[in-house]
Amino acid sequence: MDSSLIDLVFRSDKRKNLLILLDSGSKNIDEIRDELDVTATSILPQIKKLIDNDLIVQEDRMYKLTVLGEFIIKKIKPLISALEVVEKNNIYWTGHDLNSIPRHLLERISELGDCILIEPDLNHMYEPSQEIIDSMDNAKRASTFASYFNPAYLPLYVELGRKDAELSLNFTQSVWDHLSNEHSNMIKELMGMDNVSLYVSKEGIKISEVTVTDRIMLLGLFDKKGKFDQQFIMSFEPGALRWGQELFDYFKRLSRRVNKI
């Protein structure tokens, strides 16, 4: 795509949004106006530019993508979605270490969709986020990888295990050593549950946590100085759940299952 075509698509939100809209099918001017919340006067000049560049065509009062337009929008939609994910929480993504996210998943960051930034309550710095607890309540399944773990989450996992939720928990060696020494009763109870699998992973993974349930995906990263700031990205999007599960499975393949303390 040459620079003029890039400019045509990206330098106008109206043109970009119109191409995305037409990717779902042909629209007349009234549908375009209503769905994009624009006036006919403001959108018609943008339509003309896209027609002049053979990205859309008008047939019987309906506007649709040309073959070239279909090809272009299929290529740029993932990029647009990725930019939207990053721009919504730009300070988080640019201020944290992304190196431990496998490249093939980083390239699909658009799948996280509409994310929420969970920030710590300064009055309760060492307590689990209530938003996270609420989102995990009554989960039917949960997969967690953690290289930094708040022991206050252990009772939540025990409770979920008692409710027959399918749990897969993966900790780095240092976290496992701490939990098995300081909280051995709860760890032993989890080990005794047929619906719970426990793993130990290698050190050096610069992700503080990834948790996936049947409802949410939670991602915590260390900042670029290697510190954990208790900030998390949360998403309820189906694509984010699949993405997060793939990330968990990636780390699980690098881990060993444990059956005793």
Side-chain angles (χ1 to χ4, degrees):
M1 196 188 312
D2 62 32
S3 60
S4 62
L5 197 51
I6 291 174
D7 291 345
L8 178 71
V9 175
F10 284 101
R11 286 201 172 182
S12 166
D13 284 342
K14 289 186 177 70
R15 293 194 295 268
K16 178 188 70 178
N17 293 337
L18 177 57
L19 290 171
I20 294 173
L21 175 64
L22 294 181
D23 188 45
S24 65
S26 301
K27 307 289 181 185
N28 61 38
I29 189 62
D30 291 330
E31 292 171 320
I32 291 171
R33 183 190 61 202
D34 293 343
E35 295 194 43
L36 295 184
D37 193 22
V38 295
T39 64
T41 302
S42 67
I43 197 65
L44 284 171
Q46 310 310 325
I47 290 175
K48 184 178 185 305
K49 289 181 180 180
L50 293 172
I51 290 175
D52 290 345
N53 284 271
D54 194 35
L55 295 185
I56 67 174
V57 64
Q58 181 181 7
E59 293 179 356
D60 298 327
R61 298 186 179 182
M62 302 293 287
Y63 297 95
K64 68 176 187 178
L65 296 175
T66 62
V67 173
L68 177 61
E70 290 178 354
F71 170 77
I72 294 297
I73 199 62
K74 290 293 189 297
K75 293 295 183 181
I76 67 173
K77 274 181 73 174
L79 174 59
I80 292 170
S81 297
L83 291 173
E84 289 173 347
V85 168
V86 173
E87 286 176 357
K88 182 175 179 181
N89 296 291
N90 183 60
I91 294 176
Y92 183 86
W93 293 113
T94 58
H96 289 78
D97 192 338
L98 306 179
N99 286 310
S100 287
I101 299 178
R103 182 56 59 90
H104 71 281
L105 288 176
L106 197 57
E107 290 175 352
R108 290 165 43 203
I109 199 171
S110 60
E111 295 175 20
L112 298 188
D114 188 19
C115 297
I116 301 168
L117 179 62
I118 305 296
E119 300 189 83
D121 181 347
L122 297 180
N123 295 319
H124 303 88
M125 283 293 291
Y126 300 104
E127 297 177 15
S129 164
Q130 191 61 46
E131 291 172 279
I132 295 173
I133 291 176
D134 290 344
S135 67
M136 293 182 65
D137 188 39
N138 294 321
K140 293 180 175 59
R141 60 176 179 82
S143 301
T144 290
F145 166 83
S147 59
Y148 174 96
F149 192 71
N150 188 331
Y153 284 108
L154 270 182
L156 175 61
Y157 285 116
V158 171
E159 181 182 353
L160 290 174
R162 289 171 179 169
K163 294 178 180 178
D164 294 325
E166 292 293 327
L167 302 182
S168 187
L169 308 177
N170 188 356
F171 306 113
T172 55
Q173 187 67 55
S174 59
V175 173
W176 173 254
D177 290 343
H178 175 76
L179 293 177
S180 58
N181 289 327
E182 302 297 326
H183 306 276
S184 58
N185 288 339
M186 282 187 282
I187 291 296
K188 287 177 180 177
E189 183 173 357
L190 288 169
M191 279 185 165
M193 298 177 181
D194 293 336
N195 51 308
V196 178
S197 302
L198 295 170
Y199 300 87
V200 174
S201 181
K202 66 178 183 179
E203 299 288 347
I205 298 174
K206 297 178 181 178
I207 288 180
S208 60
E209 180 180 340
V210 57
T211 289
V212 187
T213 74
D214 43 322
R215 296 178 53 218
I216 62 109
M217 189 286 300
L218 188 74
L219 177 66
L221 302 172
F222 293 105
D223 68 19
K224 291 189 174 178
K225 294 182 180 179
K227 296 181 179 179
F228 176 49
D229 54 16
Q230 299 197 53
Q231 291 184 326
F232 294 91
I233 288 291
M234 179 187 288
S235 178
F236 298 86
E237 303 268 356
L241 303 189
R242 293 189 294 269
W243 188 95
Q245 189 63 49
E246 286 189 47
L247 182 59
F248 173 84
D249 291 341
Y250 174 83
F251 294 134
K252 189 174 79 170
R253 289 193 292 271
L254 304 176
S255 308
R256 59 183 174 85
R257 188 164 182 174
V258 290
N259 297 304
K260 62 181 180 179
I261 294 179

